[in-house]
Amino acid sequence: DTEVTQTPKHLVMGMTNKKSLKCEQHMGHRAMYWYKQKAKKPPELMFVYSYEKLSINESVPSRFSPECPNSSLLNLHLHALQPEDSALYLCASSHLLGNTIYFGEGSWLTVV
Amino acid sequence: QKEVEQNSGPLSVPEGAIASLNCTYSDRVSQSFFWYRQYSGKSPELIMSIYSNGDKEDGRFTAQLNKASQYVSLLIRDSQPSDSATYLCAASSGTYKYIFGTGTRLKVLA
């Protein structure tokens, strides 16, 4: 079982809703990531945090807002999403930036 | 454009056979290579990482890396129906960025 825990596993939200995806790891990793994966496509990097600071934003629309409250937690705040944002959202972590990445179980998001 | 290429499959092998999954990459600065297994509807799960030329074995899995040919492969011995999944190859130059292939779908026939 993965040691990166994501909640909720499934989320359905309307285009005007505000919701959040949560991720937690207790492996002492100092780098955390958000990926987005559409069907039959590879994971696509969205954000990278290193030592709780945002290091990389891969030109993600502002309707996605990441937050890293502490070294174990990573959130992704969602607001005014579009149906095309429906996807599997994967949290991942690594010991340090550049080390092997371990994925969480993912959160399936459906925007209606 | 840095790329990792995989045959999308499906690759069908009978139970008990060796499954051979292949991946080529275009970026010569890639140093680290990873194989992830992804079951339908699930998240990617790390199987193997490999950094040096040659073979690396872990149970029924063997990863092979040839940097001169920019080629990395994954062999699965004694394939089982439970190995049926999509296998993602990824390359990294040691930074935050993984370049993923599109994955090869493996079907192990009972």
Side-chain angles (χ1 to χ4, degrees), chain B residues 56-84:
Chain B
K56 179 180 178 183
E57 187 174 317
D58 183 359
R60 295 187 297 113
F61 299 97
T62 299
Q64 299 174 319
L65 175 60
N66 183 324
K67 289 187 178 180
S69 300
Q70 295 180 245
Y71 176 94
V72 58
S73 64
L74 179 70
L75 301 178
I76 306 175
R77 288 182 299 282
D78 188 24
S79 296
Q80 301 297 309
S82 58
D83 294 323
S84 298

Side-chain angles (χ1 to χ4, degrees), chain A residues 34-36 44-47 56-58 60 64 76 89:
Chain A
W34 280 113
Y35 282 82
K36 172 183 176 180
E44 182 183 325
L45 184 64
M46 300 174 72
F47 301 104
I56 303 292
N57 175 340
E58 292 281 297
V60 179
F64 295 92
L76 186 63
Y89 287 84

Side-chain angles (χ1 to χ4, degrees), chain A residues 76-88:
Chain A
L76 186 63
H77 301 299
L78 314 170
H79 175 51
L81 295 192
Q82 304 297 310
E84 58 264 29
D85 296 321
S86 299
L88 177 65

Side-chain angles (χ1 to χ4, degrees), chain B residues 31 40 44 46 52 63 68 76-77 80 83 90 92:
Chain B
Q31 301 170 5
S40 181
L46 180 70
S52 305
I76 306 175
R77 288 182 299 282
Q80 301 297 309
D83 294 323
S92 169

Side-chain angles (χ1 to χ4, degrees), chain A:
Chain A
D1 287 344
T2 179
E3 295 183 65
V4 180
T5 303
Q6 291 187 241
T7 56
K9 296 288 187 283
H10 298 273
L11 176 63
V12 179
M13 61 184 291
M15 289 188 283
T16 58
N17 290 162
K18 283 186 182 181
K19 297 285 186 183
S20 297
L21 304 180
K22 298 185 183 299
C23 174
E24 187 169 10
Q25 58 89 12
H26 291 291
M27 297 182 282
H29 288 177
R30 302 316 298 266
M32 296 186 76
Y33 311 76
W34 280 113
Y35 282 82
K36 172 183 176 180
Q37 188 178 23
K38 302 281 275 185
K40 300 192 187 303
K41 299 287 188 183
E44 182 183 325
L45 184 64
M46 300 174 72
F47 301 104
V48 181
Y49 274 82
S50 179
Y51 287 91
E52 299 150 55
K53 290 189 176 6
L54 182 64
S55 296
I56 303 292
N57 175 340
E58 292 281 297
S59 303
V60 179
S62 60
R63 58 185 184 270
F64 295 92
S65 175
E67 178 196 19
C68 190
N70 60 51
S71 61
S72 301
L73 294 174
L74 186 66
N75 299 322
L76 186 63
H77 301 299
L78 314 170
H79 175 51
L81 295 192
Q82 304 297 310
E84 58 264 29
D85 296 321
S86 299
L88 177 65
Y89 287 84
L90 296 162
C91 176
S93 70
S94 63
H95 179 57
L96 297 171
L97 214 55
N99 291 158
T100 303
I101 287 175
Y102 298 90
F103 288 96
E105 292 178 339
S107 293
W108 282 99
L109 173 67
T110 303
V111 182
V112 297

